[in-house]
Amino acid sequence: MKIRIAALALAAVLVLASCGQSSVRTGSAADRPQLIAHAGGAIWGYRYTNSLEAIDTAYANGFRFIELDFELTSDGSVVLIHDWEAMGKRMLFSEGVRTRGEFLSSPTFMGLTLLDAAGLKKWMESHEDAYIITDVKASDNAAVLKKLREELGVSSERLIPQIYSTDQYEPVRSLGFSDIILTVYKMDADGEKLSEFIRDHELWAVTIAFSRLTESFLASVKSAGRDTAIYAHTVNTLSDYENWHPLGLTGIYTDHFIPAHWPY
């Protein structure tokens, strides 16, 4: 009898955990977070750092969905940096692709801590309710995601990849990712074609640059007949969110707003 009770209790825990997972990962657009930390979130007034200090601060401020930028080093390792030019110069004081060793050992802007995949894995293992949205800057999105899948191990189940064209969907899906965001800043957001793709493919969300956000775009997503979440990036002005949320915008990628003090 004791064994049966214990088994039933364990089953109940697993069901509850599964329900919680479902509401976060595969529920309706209304279940999605309104705020996603952009490039790890700002730290000390600086954006795009993708640093350990930034994601620690974002998490402390209530973010559980954090977008991060990924690049390849010259020796093929995955590291967190927005780009090797402007942010390479900012974060590492000079432009140019580095080796993994150079990336991790170089002096950094404001002494911020830069991360490779191993460093991100360690962080995710100690923040088990955090989800990482990927923004891969390297040309082969699927190849970088495959590397991340391998290096992060079980933590990779909490990756939500962004894809930059519709033809990336199947290669990324085949890697085992069930939650995928289609971001349209590198593609034509044609209304009819976009609607057809959303209708025929399961997506976690669709994301658009705020400068390109229009009512017709929102209508195209809605016309697909799916309850698809819609995000805009990057939004740091409250009125921008307030104006568009009633029209169907689910949420925003942001540098500065924080969930702990979000009024909505």
Side-chain angles (χ1 to χ4, degrees):
M1 177 63 72
K2 289 182 178 179
I3 293 175
R4 184 184 178 193
I5 291 173
L8 289 172
L10 177 60
V13 169
L14 291 173
V15 168
L16 288 172
S18 174
C19 291
Q21 178 91 339
S22 177
S23 66
V24 172
R25 300 296 294 277
T26 58
S28 68
D31 296 321
R32 301 287 188 258
Q34 291 182 349
L35 300 181
I36 293 172
H38 173 241
I43 177 73
W44 309 327
Y46 295 99
R47 302 181 296 159
Y48 296 97
T49 71
N50 293 279
S51 62
L52 175 62
E53 289 79 5
I55 60 176
D56 276 343
T57 300
Y59 187 90
N61 284 333
F63 281 104
R64 293 300 179 266
F65 290 80
I66 300 172
E67 185 234 25
L68 293 171
D69 299 305
F70 296 87
E71 260 286 14
L72 289 174
T73 62
S74 60
D75 50 354
S77 294
V78 180
V79 296
L80 279 62
I81 191 169
H82 185 270
D83 61 86
W84 292 112
E85 292 75 43
M87 286 309 293
K89 187 174 182 179
R90 165 66 77 188
M91 299 301 297
L92 299 166
F93 307 113
S94 64
E95 298 180 9
V97 184
R98 311 294 179 92
T99 66
R100 175 180 172 275
E102 290 168 343
F103 177 81
L104 294 175
S105 63
S106 296
T108 61
F109 174 72
M110 299 289 287
L112 291 169
T113 306
L114 301 185
L115 298 171
D116 61 356
L120 178 61
K121 178 182 179 181
K122 182 178 180 180
W123 187 88
M124 292 183 73
E125 288 174 346
S126 61
H127 299 79
E128 294 184 349
D129 57 345
Y131 295 84
I132 301 301
I133 294 171
T134 68
D135 191 357
V136 174
K137 302 302 185 182
S139 59
D140 194 336
N141 188 26
V144 173
L145 290 171
K146 184 175 186 294
K147 283 178 175 285
L148 278 173
R149 193 79 156 150
E150 295 166 352
E151 295 194 47
L152 294 180
V154 68
S155 294
S156 68
E157 295 174 5
R158 287 182 281 123
L159 289 182
I160 302 176
Q162 292 187 121
I163 60 172
Y164 309 96
S165 61
T166 55
D167 61 1
Q168 291 184 5
Y169 182 87
E170 292 302 336
V172 171
R173 186 88 173 179
S174 70
L175 293 173
F177 293 107
S178 58
D179 297 317
I180 295 172
I181 296 174
L182 174 64
T183 180
V184 301
Y185 77 88
K186 290 186 177 181
M187 58 183 281
D188 291 330
D190 180 273
E192 185 177 346
K193 290 182 179 179
L194 179 66
S195 182
E196 288 177 358
F197 182 82
I198 294 170
R199 185 186 64 234
D200 297 336
H201 298 80
E202 185 176 350
L203 293 168
W204 194 85
V206 176
T207 299
I208 190 170
F210 182 74
S211 62
R212 299 180 63 194
L213 181 61
T214 62
E215 290 188 39
S216 62
F217 172 81
L218 295 173
S220 295
V221 177
K222 292 177 183 177
S223 69
R226 286 180 176 263
D227 185 21
T228 303
I230 306 171
Y231 287 89
H233 62 87
T234 304
V235 177
N236 295 313
T237 301
L238 186 58
S239 60
D240 290 338
Y241 173 83
E242 291 175 328
N243 291 338
W244 285 96
H245 180 64
L247 300 178
L249 184 67
T250 305
I252 56 176
Y253 292 34
T254 185
D255 298 306
H256 299 304
F257 295 126
I258 61 174
H261 301 294
W262 184 240
Y264 294 102

